[in-house]
Amino acid sequence: MIELFRERFGSAEGLRVFRAPGRTNLIGEHTDYNMGFVLPVALDLATFVAAAPNADGKLRIYSEQRNELLEWDLAAVAGLKPAHQWTDYPIGVAHELVAAGIPLQPANLMIRSTVPEGSGLSSSAALEVSSALAFLAGRPLDPLELARLCQRAERNYVGMPCGIMDQYISVFGRQHSAVEIDCRSLGHRYVTLPAGITFVAVNTMVKHELAGSAYKDRVQECAAAVAGVRQKFPDAQSLRDVTPAQFATVAPALPELIARRGRHVVTEIARVGQFVEASSRGDLSAMGALMVQSHRSLQHDYEVSCAELDFLVDTALKLEGVFGSRMTGGGFGGCTVTMLRPDAVPAFKDAIAAAYHKQFAVIPAIYPCNPSEGAAEVKDLS
Ligand code: ADP
Ligand code: MG
């Protein structure tokens, strides 16, 4: 990366490299913006930003994936408006840094990523967090503030009303652990997964157009569900504040669609706790069953799945050594995550790729989900 950086920008003087990982969410989908629980792992797949100061008062950002270089006068960056393209992610971060009182410095940035874009493995948060570290260039920022600042960038500048999960896990990921995040308190605990299992993500290779608008619709539908819940539980601030049993008592008075949306969220929040508990007992079949319940709830109640995701889940569940499978990420394409025995992985990969290709004429990419460390500077540049 150093050689390429020097070729592109003329100098690599003062170069530093920052890494931020993508993620797979094991369970707890569409619960983060409802202040509930999630259980993601940070992945080996990550975004790297190489950054060096320049002496000409510019901000330059180059993406290898896009083979595109953009350049601005540093003084103009704070006044930029969203361009509805990939640069909105780093520029949104730059805006939030300025808003937080952290001035920008003239710099050249080079982005390289192994996180597939738009696949539900959160290339967006990986880009935001690695860009933030590159802009900071070693200036300190509290890790929780870093995650929240990057979330604000996506909400305020990109215009996606996302929860905190993706940015949080990119910052707080840990090797060998899943991370149970309380999206209200913003605390977390590390969850050591039982021996004898592993997780793989299978990519549908599609992202349906609906993804962005449906996400915004779901955020609004959840707000409508909360308004309904308040009729009986006036203190409820979010769907986090009612149990599935309490929600069932108000659901009949809600419009049918809102009742289903709410039911997904309240049962899904409960499933995260049940999954962590089953994990601590080493109850692999209970963990797998909860993943399948999660998928069915996303498929039928929340309606964010699609034919490709359903096919991958249904196919996985027929294969040797599989405990459970579900869509992961926002939905409408992207990836599934499957829990299976490590020795079953090679045959699983062959079988699921062959079945998917036969059905959709596309070879799905398959990624191991080894829990990795959260974002940091890469010290060894060799
Ligand atoms: P996901 O986060 O699931 O990958 P999103 O739609 O949230 O999907 O974010 C994907 C977007 O992030 C891309 O369309 C692109 O704008 C931006 N992005 C991610 N990685 C890169 C990269 N390496 N170079 C340029 N843009 C990127
Ligand atoms: Mg994203």
Side-chain angles (χ1 to χ4, degrees):
M1 215 171 172
I2 302 176
E3 260 325 298
L4 281 169
F5 191 97
R6 193 176 289 116
E7 263 172 46
R8 176 147 302 275
F9 295 117
S11 159
E13 180 90 22
L15 182 94
R16 300 170 79 157
V17 178
F18 302 89
R19 167 191 178 275
R23 59 105 187 92
T24 313
N25 189 21
L26 303 184
I27 196 160
E29 213 66 74
H30 288 276
T31 53
D32 61 347
Y33 54 83
N34 289 295
M35 304 296 121
F37 291 89
V38 293
L39 188 70
V41 296
L43 298 177
D44 291 332
L45 303 171
T47 300
F48 297 83
V49 178
N54 65 47
D56 51 10
K58 304 278 189 194
L59 176 63
R60 295 190 187 87
I61 309 182
Y62 173 71
S63 163
E64 279 194 347
Q65 271 59 47
R66 298 302 169 99
N67 189 25
E68 203 178 349
L69 172 68
L70 283 102
E71 174 181 315
W72 303 268
D73 287 329
L74 194 68
V77 170
L80 291 174
K81 296 275 175 278
H84 308 290
Q85 58 155 353
W86 67 271
T87 48
D88 286 353
Y89 295 89
I91 296 299
V93 168
H95 277 206
E96 292 299 336
L97 284 166
V98 171
I102 302 167
L104 298 174
Q105 299 168 335
N108 300 329
L109 270 58
M110 180 171 187
I111 300 162
R112 167 179 296 182
S113 185
T114 57
V115 189
E117 281 180 37
S119 298
L121 302 183
S122 196
S123 68
S124 56
L127 177 55
E128 289 150 12
V129 174
S130 53
S131 301
L133 292 178
F135 289 135
L136 285 164
R139 288 175 289 175
L141 183 64
D142 172 70
L144 183 56
E145 266 319 302
L146 171 64
R148 297 181 68 172
L149 186 145
C150 290
Q151 181 199 18
R152 288 200 297 276
E154 188 152 342
R155 292 180 71 100
N156 297 342
Y157 201 77
V158 179
M160 189 61 164
C162 62
I164 189 72
M165 169 170 67
D166 298 355
Q167 295 82 8
Y168 195 108
I169 185 65
S170 190
V171 171
F172 287 96
R174 171 167 292 189
Q175 221 181 355
H176 308 306
S177 286
V179 184
E180 185 187 19
I181 304 166
D182 179 336
C183 298
R184 168 166 281 159
S185 73
L186 298 182
H188 65 264
R189 58 178 171 148
Y190 295 113
V191 174
T192 305
L193 298 162
I197 54 160
T198 191
F199 293 86
V200 294
V202 183
N203 193 343
T204 62
M205 316 301 279
V206 299
K207 181 173 185 179
H208 295 297
E209 275 307 309
L210 216 57
S213 64
Y215 191 99
K216 293 174 189 170
D217 291 345
R218 294 300 175 277
V219 172
Q220 287 183 355
E221 288 158 5
C222 288
V226 176
V229 163
R230 273 212 206 104
Q231 303 291 319
K232 185 158 181 191
F233 302 99
D235 294 337
Q237 299 297 312
S238 73
L239 290 171
R240 160 72 179 275
D241 295 322
V242 281
T243 63
Q246 288 172 328
F247 187 77
T249 67
V250 298
L254 299 178
E256 189 268 343
L257 180 126
I258 300 298
R260 276 191 291 125
R261 301 297 192 251
R263 182 168 62 184
H264 165 70
V265 173
V266 297
T267 58
E268 184 76 358
I269 291 172
R271 276 188 287 274
V272 176
Q274 290 160 9
F275 187 91
V276 171
E277 208 260 323
S279 170
S280 69
R281 282 186 277 124
D283 188 342
L284 306 184
S285 55
M287 293 167 73
L290 286 159
M291 291 178 75
V292 178
Q293 285 169 29
S294 166
H295 185 77
R296 298 304 172 211
S297 179
L298 289 156
Q299 181 181 1
H300 301 301
D301 276 354
Y302 218 58
E303 295 182 285
V304 291
S305 188
C306 61
E308 293 87 348
L309 287 166
D310 295 339
F311 180 86
L312 284 178
V313 167
D314 294 338
T315 305
L317 294 178
K318 290 179 204 143
L319 295 175
E320 174 66 28
V322 170
F323 294 98
S325 185
R326 56 183 290 279
M327 56 158 275
T328 184
F332 299 102
C335 289
T336 60
V337 57
T338 298
M339 172 177 148
L340 72 173
R341 285 201 322 264
D343 62 287
V345 170
F348 169 84
K349 282 180 163 177
D350 289 347
I352 203 142
Y356 192 76
H357 183 258
K358 188 160 173 238
Q359 184 77 8
F360 295 106
V362 179
I363 310 265
I366 301 178
Y367 319 94
C369 300
N370 303 318
S372 85
E373 283 296 308
E377 182 167 5
V378 180
K379 294 288 188 191
D380 180 7
L381 294 183
S382 59

